[in-house]
Amino acid sequence: MTSLTIGLIGILAFLALIALRMPIAIAMALAGFAGFSFMVSPQAALNMVAKEMYSNLSSYSLSVIPMFVWMGFLAYYSGIGTKLYIFAYKLIGHYPGGLAIATQVACAVFGAICGSNTATAATMGAIALPEMKKYKYDTSLATASVAAGGVLGVLIPPSVIFIVYGMATEQSVGKLFMAGILPGILLMLLYIAAIYILTLRNPSLGPAGPKSNWRERIDAMRGGLGEVLFVFVLSIGGLFAGWFTPTEAGAVGAAGVLGVSLVERRLSWEGFKKSLVDTTRTSAMIMFMVAGAVMFGRFMAVSRVPFELANWAGALALPSFAIMAIIIFIYLVLGCLIDALALVLLTIPIFYPVAVTTLGYDPIWFGVIIVMVVAMGVITPPVGMNVYIIKGIVPDVPLEVIFKGVWPFLIAILVCIAMLMVFPQIATFLPGLLSK
Amino acid sequence: MKRFSGLVTGLSRVLDQAAGFFLVATMVLIVVNILLRTIFKTPVFGAFEYVGLLTALVIGLSLAYCGVQNAHIDISLVVDWLPARLRDIISVLINIISMCFLAVSAWYVGAYASSMMDSGLVSPTTQMPTYPFVYLIALGMFVYCLVLLVRSIESIMKAAFNR
């Protein structure tokens, strides 16, 4: 049997295991172990598993993950999101669809201190949904706008998916974070345009709320926006300025959110303890999966599947954008079935060499595209994570109603991806400044 | 069985609380290091290494409780379509395979730690022995194994009961 055949059998065995509901981390480690034993030796495979387990868990560069995850959960439990939403809606709530638009603005700003799409959707859902219900917003529009708003949380730095992509491809986390800013703002504007068009055509979807005066708006600015800006400038700003490593930026961000919440007495002892439990759980899930993916990647490397695939794609008589479109399509399909982080870890060893080495696409730009494409999966059926989170907040709303409202936002994401394909500078401009 | 399951859950929770403590410690260490570096120009010696080792504890010790909370991501989509009986049998098999693989891995991580101890391996900067950290990762994996053992027994009982 050639090494290529063993590699392909390994991939199939792995897919069978995850289809039978083995945790993805264990399935990757097991398939990696089995393949490596077959191709090298069982003893070498056992040593590889032990060594990778220790070296990945104790890696300084991976220690960035628990720090940024904690920062996000502290922001979630501190209630900073509530203040942000109130500010945004005092500013624009009196326009048709204004509360849904305010949700997008609040999600984008909250995304600046939270790196997870589910935490962003959960935070904003708990605040924005009751308000939109009060003003008789269409349930589909209200719920879908929050679910989709969560995607802004991963595009705007910090972002856990960017960190994992950076680890898997050895790209700078700082550059990736910077690359996400403009696409994040662009996507927010496209979301707003989508809501505007929907409510223009049918004003009953999002009736106007009460108008606030400027004094109320300025009052609402206190206690939310200022704190977020302070923490963002300190943590992400420090990373961009080169003062901090990504891990340090995460720790400074967590300390910043914690400090602000303690000074303003927003965070209870219970909330603090919950933030720790949520952080250790999420970090263990992510880092165990990273370790599993590394083991699987070691097997893939000895089987030469990724290299052969990259060579094959390079020899295809198709223009490079067509191959890229095929890759994006594959991600869209898989994104509907597999969790975003797991999908990035699984597919990067296979598609990254094709896109970057063979086709010559910019690795930072490809990262932004990947984050957007896999993020679509969190709002598409059947396993759209954000939709389930919103369902958890409003259990009486059927899933179909939420999924029905999602399509204008999906179109907005697709338009954003298309714009990034045509104008890659949207993603590469800011990181380009960093390297000068 | 209930007592054993309660014991495993309790043990996992204690490890997770320790992981939470090490998470706070990591953050404090990093922030103190930045402050000392900026204000007094004297960073904490070997902070880089301590952060990595502490992170190993944060993750290693929280693996089991993450399993208790069913938070290790899996895909239920395909299995959900199958008849209940077949689903139960698959669940038994997958739990047992996962448990066995994790047990072997935990054992070898432990063996790796003891080889580090025997050879007197220390971290490059602070010259600190690294084997205790590796043993603790093995412990975390072993307790996660126990969580999967409980799951396996539960799934066997469910499969038998459903018949």
Side-chain angles (χ1 to χ4, degrees), chain A residues 249-260:
Chain A
V252 167
V257 178
L258 187 62
V260 164

Side-chain angles (χ1 to χ4, degrees), chain A residues 18-24 26 29-30 33 43 46 49-51 53-54 57-58 60 63 66-67 70 243-244 247-248 251-252 255 258 272 276-277 279-281 283-285 287-288 337-339 382-383, chain B residues 16 19-20 23-24 26-27 30-31 34 37 48 51-53 55-56 59-60 62-63 66 69 71-79 90 94 97-98 101-102 104-105 108-109 112 116 130 134 137 141 144:
Chain A
I18 57 170
L20 296 176
R21 219 183 158 178
M22 181 176 278
I24 293 177
I26 300 182
L30 179 55
F33 161 76
Q43 191 57 44
L46 284 166
V49 168
K51 227 173 143 181
M53 198 66 198
Y54 167 65
L57 264 49
S58 66
Y60 179 85
S63 62
M67 289 299 131
W70 194 25
W243 300 338
F244 304 143
T247 303
E248 287 173 345
V252 167
L258 187 62
F272 176 74
L276 289 179
V277 174
T279 304
T280 51
R281 182 190 60 227
S283 310
M285 177 272 282
M287 287 183 62
F288 190 30
L337 308 173
I338 304 178
D339 170 81
V383 288
Chain B
D16 187 63
L23 175 72
V24 179
T26 316
M27 187 268 274
I30 296 172
V31 173
I34 293 172
R37 180 174 79 196
F48 182 85
V51 169
L53 292 171
T55 304
I59 305 304
S62 53
L63 279 176
C66 179
Q69 299 172 86
H72 290 290
I73 293 178
D74 56 30
I75 298 169
S76 61
L77 201 70
V78 182
V79 178
I90 289 175
I94 289 293
I97 297 172
S98 304
F101 174 63
L102 210 66
V104 173
S105 309
Y108 270 83
V109 173
Y112 186 47
M116 281 177 166
T130 44
V134 189
I137 295 176
M141 291 170 75
Y144 182 25

Side-chain angles (χ1 to χ4, degrees), chain B residues 3-37:
Chain B
R3 267 187 69 185
F4 178 61
S5 150
L7 197 73
V8 171
T9 306
L11 185 59
S12 311
R13 194 179 293 130
V14 170
L15 293 188
D16 187 63
Q17 282 162 352
F21 170 78
F22 289 123
L23 175 72
V24 179
T26 316
M27 187 268 274
V28 171
L29 169 67
I30 296 172
V31 173
V32 166
N33 181 42
I34 293 172
L35 291 176
L36 289 179
R37 180 174 79 196

Side-chain angles (χ1 to χ4, degrees), chain A residues 123-166:
Chain A
T123 304
M124 287 305 151
I127 309 156
L129 288 175
E131 288 297 319
M132 289 198 262
K133 194 173 176 191
K134 195 159 93 191
Y135 291 104
K136 301 200 167 24
Y137 267 55
D138 175 68
T139 318
S140 265
L141 174 67
T143 47
S145 70
V146 184
V151 174
L152 298 171
V154 282
L155 265 177
I156 293 175
S159 159
V160 173
I161 303 189
F162 273 138
I163 294 173
V164 169
Y165 176 87

